[in-house]
Amino acid sequence: MVPKIKALAAGLVAVSAVFALSGGAVANPATAATAVAASGMEAIFNTPPENGDRDHSIETRLVRLVDGAPAGSEIHFSVYSWTRPAVAEAIKAAQARGVKVRIAIDGGADDDPANTAMPILKSAGLTQLVFCGTGGVNTGCIAHDGSPHSINHDKLWMFSETEGKKDVVVIGSHNLTTVQGNMFNNALLTYGDADLYGFYLGHVRKMLAQKKDNNYYDDAGYHKSLNSMVTSYLSPRADSKGGTSEEFATDTWAQLLKWITKYEAGCSLNVVQANIADSRTPVVSELVRIGKLGCKVRIVYDDMGTAALAALKGKANVTLKRFNAAVGDREVTVHSKYMLYTGHYNETGNRSIVFTGSHNVSGAALRDNDEILIKVENPEISAAYQANFSTILARAKCVTSTGATC
């Protein structure tokens, strides 16, 4: 992470916690310290430098969280891809000191004999370690009927207690693999929200039990916490007939964007997406519509379908930048999946909202996979994401390995 952005995020989050818990007034130092410990949020970013070096800030933060978990506490993870040993070693040590650790992993994570993290986890005597759908085509924990497959694409890390904080939930875009250090990634940490923690504890328990449900969104995958103002939208989500068609009414991203209905001076939708697929026409149509309202729609992406690109290219107020830079043998690009909106939303003006998680703008993310998408309304978190977006937008370029533009 760029130190400047890291400092900004940390400072803004501290202010946010004090402000929210003191009714908007500036608390005295003693009260402020108590308030910050009670509840709050933290934005974490991987920001790989232009020289091709890797940034593993999110992984480093996770190691500290694991190391801070005391004996008798609990850790729950639901993750997709995990090959790096650092967090695995920390988890093994945590279990050994009396932390109860339960992990649900996509079954495909156990396929590579060169994976150095899995042997560590398997030898750690964890309270519960589940590889979902091992040996099959569908390796998701809840999703189970995708084409060509379903996966557990969650990036969820939970701690009942760590670093003196309670009910810590971390949701992000980041896999625990080396190549992720080449990519811009993000994570949101919340603490002190027992309601949000309880929802995700129930979610991980379903993952561990592999309770299959291809319409999980409607049955158990929606939750709004009034404590932290975090709303969760989990996949898989079936269409209105129980299928996988493109359908506006059951497209989670499109349904979130539909509430942007009025122009407000300075309104903007800043988008960082690893993948915008042709199978999400309702979302692409909403992006075009929001541009027509007069709001700036700025999109930085790694991969985009040809039909989606054609639909967005040249449209009013829509800016497209592909981030795919080759530095030696490394590809520096974006892996985050977030949108940051500032403006009039759902009949209320002057709002600032972050949408983020593991959910790509792809058909698989909506219909076939285990995924997390959250909505966060917190001005300081929005400011941290805006700083991150500004960095990404300024650096975004598409260059082939030969140095030619693409």
Side-chain angles (χ1 to χ4, degrees):
M1 180 188 298
V2 174
K4 193 173 184 180
I5 294 177
K6 186 174 182 179
L8 171 66
L12 288 171
V13 170
V15 171
S16 172
V18 174
F19 184 87
L21 292 170
S22 60
V26 177
N28 66 49
T31 304
T34 302
V36 171
S39 67
M41 294 182 178
E42 177 184 337
I44 315 162
F45 302 100
N46 280 5
T47 309
E50 291 189 90
N51 65 3
D53 288 349
R54 295 186 171 110
D55 180 6
H56 293 291
S57 293
I58 297 174
E59 177 188 83
T60 300
R61 187 71 183 96
L62 290 173
V63 169
R64 294 205 311 269
L65 290 167
V66 174
D67 289 345
S73 67
E74 297 187 349
I75 294 174
H76 292 79
F77 287 3
S78 176
V79 296
Y80 172 51
S81 183
W82 187 348
T83 60
R84 289 174 59 81
V87 178
E89 292 283 10
I91 283 290
K92 185 174 182 176
Q95 182 75 38
R97 69 173 175 268
V99 180
K100 294 181 179 179
V101 181
R102 297 177 175 89
I103 303 177
I105 306 180
D106 178 83
D110 197 30
D111 290 343
D112 183 1
N115 185 330
T116 58
M118 294 304 102
I120 297 169
L121 294 179
K122 290 178 181 179
S123 67
L126 301 185
T127 305
Q128 195 171 4
L129 177 62
V130 174
F131 293 92
C132 297
T134 302
V137 173
N138 294 308
T139 54
C141 298
I142 290 173
H144 63 98
D145 197 24
S147 178
H149 55 243
S150 292
I151 59 175
N152 172 18
H153 200 240
D154 285 3
K155 297 93 168 61
L156 171 66
W157 303 276
M158 300 174 57
F159 306 84
S160 64
E161 182 180 353
T162 182
E163 301 180 336
K165 304 176 181 72
K166 301 282 190 180
D167 300 327
V168 175
V169 179
V170 183
I171 295 167
S173 64
H174 176 266
N175 295 306
L176 292 170
T177 63
T178 297
V179 72
Q180 294 286 287
N182 302 345
M183 301 178 181
F184 286 85
N185 275 287
N186 73 281
L188 179 77
L189 181 154
T190 67
Y191 61 91
D193 186 342
D195 179 44
L196 185 69
Y197 181 87
F199 170 72
Y200 279 104
L201 181 60
H203 170 62
V204 176
R205 285 172 175 167
K206 295 181 183 76
M207 304 288 276
L208 290 165
Q210 298 189 70
K211 289 185 174 292
K212 304 298 186 181
D213 185 351
N214 282 323
N215 193 19
Y216 187 55
Y217 174 89
D218 283 340
D219 297 332
Y222 171 83
H223 179 267
K224 182 174 183 178
S225 175
L226 297 178
N227 298 327
S228 58
M229 295 305 294
V230 173
T231 307
S232 301
Y233 314 83
L234 308 188
S235 294
R237 183 177 188 177
D239 66 22
S240 58
K241 295 182 179 179
T244 60
S245 69
E246 288 193 70
E247 183 180 66
F248 175 80
T250 56
D251 187 309
T252 305
W253 269 117
Q255 288 296 301
L256 291 171
L257 295 175
K258 78 175 184 180
W259 297 107
I260 303 172
T261 57
K262 295 181 181 178
Y263 171 79
E264 180 177 279
C267 61
S268 64
L269 181 65
N270 296 328
V271 179
V272 180
Q273 284 288 332
N275 180 24
I276 300 177
D278 289 341
S279 53
R280 296 295 288 274
T281 304
V283 182
V284 172
S285 297
E286 286 298 286
L287 295 173
V288 173
R289 180 188 62 77
I290 293 164
K292 287 181 179 179
L293 287 176
C295 298
K296 289 183 179 179
V297 178
R298 296 179 291 188
I299 304 169
V300 182
Y301 66 96
D302 177 22
D303 185 60
M304 187 181 298
T306 54
L309 183 60
L312 290 164
K313 195 171 184 179
K315 295 302 187 293
N317 298 308
V318 175
T319 300
L320 296 168
K321 294 185 77 174
R322 187 182 180 203
F323 199 139
N324 195 306
V327 183
D329 61 349
R330 296 178 183 176
E331 177 188 45
V332 180
T333 185
V334 292
H335 192 258
S336 286
K337 306 98 170 45
Y338 72 74
M339 299 190 192
L340 167 63
Y341 176 70
T342 301
H344 191 280
Y345 188 84
N346 193 14
E347 301 305 317
T348 305
N350 195 32
R351 295 176 72 174
S352 187
I353 305 171
V354 172
F355 308 93
T356 189
S358 68
H359 188 139
N360 288 302
V361 183
S362 69
L366 178 65
R367 307 296 188 200
D368 298 338
N369 297 341
D370 302 327
E371 302 274 7
I372 298 174
L373 176 60
I374 57 173
K375 175 167 74 76
V376 184
E377 191 157 9
N378 178 298
E380 288 72 28
I381 292 299
S382 290
Y385 274 81
Q386 181 57 56
N388 179 253
F389 179 79
S390 296
T391 298
I392 292 172
L393 185 68
R395 285 182 48 190
K397 55 188 175 183
C398 188
V399 181
T400 66
S401 59
T402 62
T405 56
C406 54

